[in-house]
Amino acid sequence: MRMNTLRVALLGCGVVGSEVARQMTERSDDLSARIGARLELAGVAVRRTGRDRAASGISPELFTTDAAGLVERDDVDLIVEVIGGIEPARGLILSALERGKSVVTANKALMADDGYALHTAADKHGVDLYYEAAVAGAIPLLRPLRESLAGDHITRVLGIVNGTTNYILDQMDSYGSGFAEALEEAQSLGYAEADPTADIEGFDAAAKAAILASIAFHSPVTMSDVHRQGITDVTSADVASAKAMGAVVKLLAICELAPDGDAVGVRVHPAMIPRTHPLAGVRGAYNAVFVEAEAAGQVMFYGPGAGGAPTASAILGDLVTVARNRIGGVTGPGGSWYADRRVHPMGQTSTRYHISLDVDDRPGVLAAVATVFAEHGVSIETVRQRTERPDDAELVVVTHKASDEALTATVAGLGRLDTVRDVMSVMRVEGG
Amino acid sequence: MRMNTLRVALLGCGVVGSEVARQMTERSDDLSARIGARLELAGVAVRRTGRDRAASGISPELFTTDAAGLVERDDVDLIVEVIGGIEPARGLILSALERGKSVVTANKALMADDGYALHTAADKHGVDLYYEAAVAGAIPLLRPLRESLAGDHITRVLGIVNGTTNYILDQMDSYGSGFAEALEEAQSLGYAEADPTADIEGFDAAAKAAILASIAFHSPVTMSDVHRQGITDVTSADVASAKAMGAVVKLLAICELAPDGDAVGVRVHPAMIPRTHPLAGVRGAYNAVFVEAEAAGQVMFYGPGAGGAPTASAILGDLVTVARNRIGGVTGPGGSWYADRRVHPMGQTSTRYHISLDVDDRPGVLAAVATVFAEHGVSIETVRQRTERPDDAELVVVTHKASDEALTATVAGLGRLDTVRDVMSVMRVEGG
């Protein structure tokens, strides 16, 4: 039987949810033409009814606080989940999948933690689970990775996937602001939350990195597999030092195959990248993801990484697909974990490093420092020495590729030298 | 019945075809895991057998000159067409579709001319027709437009879709080369063909623009609907003049909704864009496409636009999808023409213009020139006057938005002024 109407339950009605409802209504004819059936809002689950929701344009009788009941209703075909967080979202999605309802979600934390289990449930019950909006807002990314590049061998995904931290680092780079000052400005403009922890400590980017790695490398990767370091220790001196070497500091999410191809390394940390790299030009709160594949070469996806309307665009794109699939009685490509690669230990991950040291300005210091690097097998690419006050110098060392392990040992060794007053900063250098 | 092997016929075995065959063989296990069935090469149609094709690694007995017979064979499930051009490709693809075989093609000329008819045939026979490789090489673009942004309202697609002309213009911008010199260099490096007409006259970009417009606006648009102007008239003076105003000259493919939303304007021409625009930074033979959508905002796709391996990557991505669909007994989204918008007449298309005039250096010239603009209702944004020799001056006028019609009449009027010796160049200004 060909359905003429598909009924959608919306779980959550914040900025994104109300935008989804608005676009579903306003662009109803276009969506119908593309799907071959009308989408109808069956209900909207909210935490509290009674709030004035007139501005949303949603009929008041559609609101309910009984999300579980809404998901179970027989007249609901598709679910859009924009509550966020692990529970109750997880339970509601599982309940929907078990009842044969396809789900579109923007929930990165949940997909990063439970992607494998949720995909397995969707596959078992023959329904779709789509989540383009979970990573990089409106930028088409998960579907291109999953489908367009499905015939290729992806070796690396390198991205700026958190707009808040990119805004902060961009301010530090463009105006010489300190971290605290730039964060405060981001908060006053609404780019950062009152509690900015999830962004500035890299949790948000790490969840997205786990999702990207799972898809790109056909292996289950979760949050806890991601090496994570935020931007709170990035100083204006780091940013200036990057500038001096023609680089810029960005918070990067990096997913890459280990040299032997059997393991996946996933990490989120600030890094210096050359200003000539396409990611270096990503300004403000924008996102961009750079994908390296064997045959395709380097491709990049760029756009707004957050916001109600862009996120709603990604959700509606998914909704059109799952609705079409539902009508056709089929499902799109589900979870793909056949490669089942292990996680590459961070200690064995190799990158270049930028290290700045506060040292005594006297003969023999450089020799002592160089000896420590040599003892740990870390090869030096360049050394720059700057004397600002008598007896007091700054040494900036950029290394060739070295393992995290070797570098950590080197830094510990440097800290034990009498002539080194302080290891002021250690930052990875990428995209060379 | 679940198929365990899908047999693929390859039509054409040039640079792209042999790369497709190589990747199908080398990455066979990965492809099988992603598809759920093995892909097997059933035959390769070439114009002449007997050439030494040992390097391709394809078993000699697979080659045939009987492309039509290969397509008709009952043991062939899927067709990859990389012959190019209209015939015999068109007839072969139609024959395949009529026999229930899904087709993957890289043929931009054919899809630009006959997309509507071919999609209709594919839909009628319940098979897939995919052609990601036809536009912008390995960059995932058609599928994101067709699927990821399916829930959004696209208003504009602005792209650099021809690598050869971008290489030439980039050389002119970076090294001050003239057009002829830059073309020669592109030819010596293999970026341009011995007969470069298709690239430098904009035919290649126009075909891609027609395909992009059809998909973005759900309306049949063909080559003949595209206003086309190549780069052969772009001079080093134009490039220098662009530089002076903080812009760069690019060959752009522009597909946009007319202001009333009922018509689609599609054009390919050189234009000046600000250096701050993300497309300005696209160097060498790279491609990039900028999409503006109501909810998503501005997203960009960037990567290598041509080459054997990147094009093969796009073909294999499509092949994985059509193979999966074939196994599932389904098809992906077919042609979508529901909006059926008419083509916006070029004369009514409005852009800003950069006009440079060789004029007598005497009082009253600017007044006379300004009067001609005013008479045709074209508003001037800036005028820059430069005197290089006595009595001889250059006037550079940048207009506000004006229709092509009004601008053409203005230029004719300027040509009739005694004081204007020559209208040296007229170029559109985009991306403001």
Side-chain angles (χ1 to χ4, degrees):
Chain A
M1 188 195 74
R2 190 173 167 84
M3 283 177 275
N4 291 314
T5 301
L6 286 170
R7 289 171 58 82
V8 179
L10 186 58
L11 311 183
C13 196
V15 175
V16 174
S18 52
E19 185 66 25
V20 168
R22 195 184 65 76
Q23 291 186 27
M24 267 180 65
T25 309
E26 282 187 8
R27 305 215 16 267
S28 172
D29 288 348
D30 259 349
L31 295 172
S32 300
R34 295 175 193 181
I35 293 167
R38 295 199 81 76
L39 292 181
E40 200 175 276
L41 208 51
V44 181
V46 292
R47 208 178 303 178
R48 281 183 303 276
T49 51
R51 272 175 62 183
D52 180 20
R53 299 184 187 271
S56 71
I58 301 170
S59 306
E61 71 273 15
L62 290 178
F63 290 104
T64 170
T65 54
D66 180 14
L70 177 58
V71 167
E72 290 169 15
R73 267 167 53 183
D74 287 336
D75 67 336
V76 167
D77 305 298
L78 308 172
I79 307 285
V80 172
E81 185 273 310
V82 285
I83 302 170
I86 305 298
E87 290 296 354
R90 186 175 176 281
L92 293 169
I93 291 177
L94 274 174
S95 160
L97 298 173
E98 284 162 8
R99 285 172 173 78
K101 301 173 189 199
S102 291
V103 173
V104 174
T105 172
N107 196 325
K108 56 188 164 275
L110 180 61
M111 289 311 301
D113 259 7
D114 276 313
Y116 182 83
L118 293 172
H119 265 300
T120 304
D123 293 349
K124 182 176 162 196
H125 297 285
V127 291
D128 278 327
L129 173 63
Y130 275 63
Y131 45 99
E132 182 67 77
V135 183
I139 310 173
L141 182 60
L142 304 192
R143 195 187 305 239
L145 277 180
R146 189 192 291 279
E147 301 179 35
S148 307
L149 291 165
D152 208 327
H153 180 63
I154 296 173
T155 51
R156 199 158 193 247
V157 179
L158 185 74
I160 295 171
V161 293
N162 180 273
T164 305
T165 49
N166 199 59
Y167 179 85
I168 292 171
L169 293 171
D170 191 21
Q171 288 293 109
M172 292 174 74
D173 181 65
S174 303
Y175 307 107
S177 326
F179 172 76
E181 188 189 344
L183 169 59
E184 208 168 292
E185 185 167 348
Q187 286 173 317
S188 74
L189 291 170
Y191 289 134
E193 316 245 349
D195 175 0
T197 312
D199 292 317
I200 64 177
E201 295 292 1
F203 290 100
D204 174 84
K208 293 166 177 169
I211 294 171
L212 288 172
S214 297
I215 293 176
F217 302 118
H218 301 269
S219 302
V221 175
T222 65
M223 257 312 251
S224 59
D225 299 322
V226 183
H227 170 87
R228 179 190 51 76
Q229 184 194 340
I231 65 163
T232 51
D233 292 337
V234 176
T235 63
S236 43
D238 293 329
V239 172
S241 197
K243 223 169 205 169
M245 59 181 255
V248 56
V249 177
K250 295 288 187 188
L251 181 70
L252 297 181
I254 302 175
C255 318
E256 60 191 351
L257 281 186
D260 66 1
D262 282 349
V264 180
V266 192
R267 51 201 166 97
V268 167
H269 54 69
M272 296 180 184
I273 55 171
R275 282 191 189 264
T276 51
H277 193 283
L279 288 180
V282 178
R283 309 293 304 272
Y286 271 74
N287 280 194
V289 176
F290 200 73
V291 179
E292 297 179 12
E294 222 165 59
Q298 303 179 321
V299 298
M300 191 173 81
F301 304 84
Y302 166 95
T311 306
S313 169
I315 289 172
L316 281 176
D318 281 351
L319 198 53
V320 168
T321 299
V322 305
R324 285 180 44 92
N325 286 349
R326 170 90 180 193
I327 292 169
V330 301
T331 56
S336 173
W337 326 93
Y338 74 89
D340 203 17
R341 295 182 168 100
R342 63 192 163 73
V343 173
H344 192 59
M346 190 60 195
Q348 289 164 33
T349 297
S350 283
T351 62
R352 294 162 66 218
Y353 286 89
H354 175 282
I355 299 144
S356 74
L357 304 171
D358 181 7
V359 297
D360 291 346
D361 184 20
R362 52 177 161 106
V365 171
L366 181 54
V369 164
T371 302
V372 175
F373 278 89
E375 281 169 2
H376 296 92
V378 176
S379 158
I380 292 175
E381 185 181 302
T382 59
V383 178
R384 195 158 45 91
Q385 183 155 7
R386 209 169 53 178
T387 307
E388 296 206 327
R389 290 178 300 275
D391 305 327
D392 186 12
E394 186 188 353
L395 264 191
V396 173
V397 179
V398 177
T399 72
H400 285 291
K401 274 197 168 188
S403 72
D404 188 88
E405 249 164 32
L407 204 280
T408 304
T410 306
V411 169
L414 291 170
R416 284 190 297 269
L417 287 183
D418 289 344
T419 48
V420 171
R421 299 176 189 179
D422 189 20
V423 178
M424 294 189 296
S425 95
V426 177
M427 195 179 292
R428 291 185 177 81
V429 179
E430 296 284 344
Chain B
M1 189 196 73
R2 191 175 166 83
M3 286 176 273
N4 291 314
T5 301
L6 285 171
R7 291 171 56 83
V8 178
L10 186 57
L11 310 183
C13 196
V15 175
V16 173
S18 53
E19 184 67 26
V20 167
R22 195 184 66 74
Q23 292 185 28
M24 266 180 65
T25 310
E26 281 187 9
R27 311 216 11 268
S28 171
D29 288 349
D30 259 350
L31 295 172
S32 300
R34 294 175 193 182
I35 294 167
R38 295 198 81 76
L39 292 182
E40 200 176 276
L41 209 50
V44 181
V46 291
R47 209 178 305 179
R48 281 182 301 277
T49 51
R51 275 176 59 183
D52 181 20
R53 300 186 187 271
S56 72
I58 301 170
S59 308
E61 71 275 14
L62 290 178
F63 290 103
T64 171
T65 55
D66 180 15
L70 177 59
V71 166
E72 289 170 14
R73 268 167 51 183
D74 286 339
D75 67 334
V76 167
D77 304 300
L78 307 171
I79 307 285
V80 173
E81 186 271 310
V82 286
I83 302 171
I86 305 299
E87 290 296 354
R90 186 174 176 281
L92 293 169
I93 291 177
L94 274 174
S95 159
L97 297 173
E98 284 162 8
R99 286 171 171 77
K101 301 172 189 198
S102 291
V103 174
V104 174
T105 173
N107 195 325
K108 55 189 164 276
L110 181 61
M111 290 310 302
D113 259 8
D114 277 313
Y116 183 82
L118 294 171
H119 265 302
T120 304
D123 292 350
K124 181 176 162 195
H125 298 285
V127 291
D128 277 327
L129 173 63
Y130 275 62
Y131 45 99
E132 182 67 77
V135 184
I139 310 173
L141 182 60
L142 303 193
R143 196 187 304 241
L145 277 181
R146 190 193 291 281
E147 301 181 35
S148 308
L149 292 165
D152 209 328
H153 180 62
I154 296 173
T155 51
R156 199 157 193 248
V157 178
L158 186 72
I160 294 170
V161 294
N162 179 274
T164 305
T165 48
N166 199 60
Y167 179 85
I168 292 171
L169 294 171
D170 192 18
Q171 288 293 108
M172 291 175 74
D173 182 65
S174 301
Y175 306 108
S177 326
F179 172 76
E181 186 189 346
L183 170 59
E184 210 169 291
E185 184 166 348
Q187 286 173 318
S188 74
L189 290 170
Y191 288 134
E193 317 246 348
D195 175 1
T197 313
D199 292 319
I200 64 177
E201 295 291 1
F203 290 100
D204 175 85
K208 293 164 177 170
I211 295 172
L212 289 172
S214 296
I215 294 176
F217 301 119
H218 301 271
S219 302
V221 175
T222 66
M223 258 310 251
S224 59
D225 299 323
V226 183
H227 170 86
R228 177 191 53 76
Q229 183 193 343
I231 65 163
T232 51
D233 292 338
V234 177
T235 63
S236 44
D238 292 330
V239 173
S241 196
K243 221 169 207 170
M245 58 182 254
V248 57
V249 177
K250 295 289 188 188
L251 181 70
L252 298 181
I254 303 175
C255 318
E256 59 191 353
L257 281 186
D260 65 1
D262 282 348
V264 181
V266 193
R267 50 200 166 98
V268 167
H269 54 68
M272 296 180 182
I273 55 170
R275 283 193 188 265
T276 50
H277 193 283
L279 288 181
V282 177
R283 307 294 304 272
Y286 271 74
N287 281 193
V289 176
F290 200 73
V291 179
E292 297 180 12
E294 221 164 60
Q298 304 179 319
V299 299
M300 191 175 80
F301 304 84
Y302 166 94
T311 307
S313 167
I315 289 172
L316 282 176
D318 281 350
L319 198 53
V320 167
T321 299
V322 304
R324 285 180 45 91
N325 286 349
R326 169 92 180 189
I327 292 169
V330 300
T331 56
S336 172
W337 326 93
Y338 74 89
D340 202 18
R341 295 182 169 100
R342 64 191 162 72
V343 173
H344 193 58
M346 189 61 194
Q348 290 166 33
T349 298
S350 285
T351 62
R352 293 162 66 218
Y353 286 89
H354 176 283
I355 299 144
S356 77
L357 304 170
D358 182 7
V359 297
D360 292 346
D361 184 20
R362 54 180 161 104
V365 172
L366 181 54
V369 164
T371 302
V372 174
F373 279 88
E375 280 168 2
H376 296 93
V378 177
S379 159
I380 292 176
E381 186 182 300
T382 60
V383 178
R384 195 159 45 90
Q385 184 156 2
R386 210 170 51 178
T387 307
E388 295 205 329
R389 290 178 300 277
D391 304 327
D392 186 15
E394 186 188 354
L395 264 190
V396 174
V397 179
V398 177
T399 73
H400 285 293
K401 274 197 168 187
S403 72
D404 188 86
E405 248 162 33
L407 204 280
T408 304
T410 304
V411 169
L414 291 170
R416 284 191 295 270
L417 286 183
D418 290 343
T419 48
V420 171
R421 300 177 188 179
D422 188 22
V423 179
M424 295 189 296
S425 93
V426 177
M427 195 179 290
R428 291 186 177 80
V429 178
E430 295 285 343

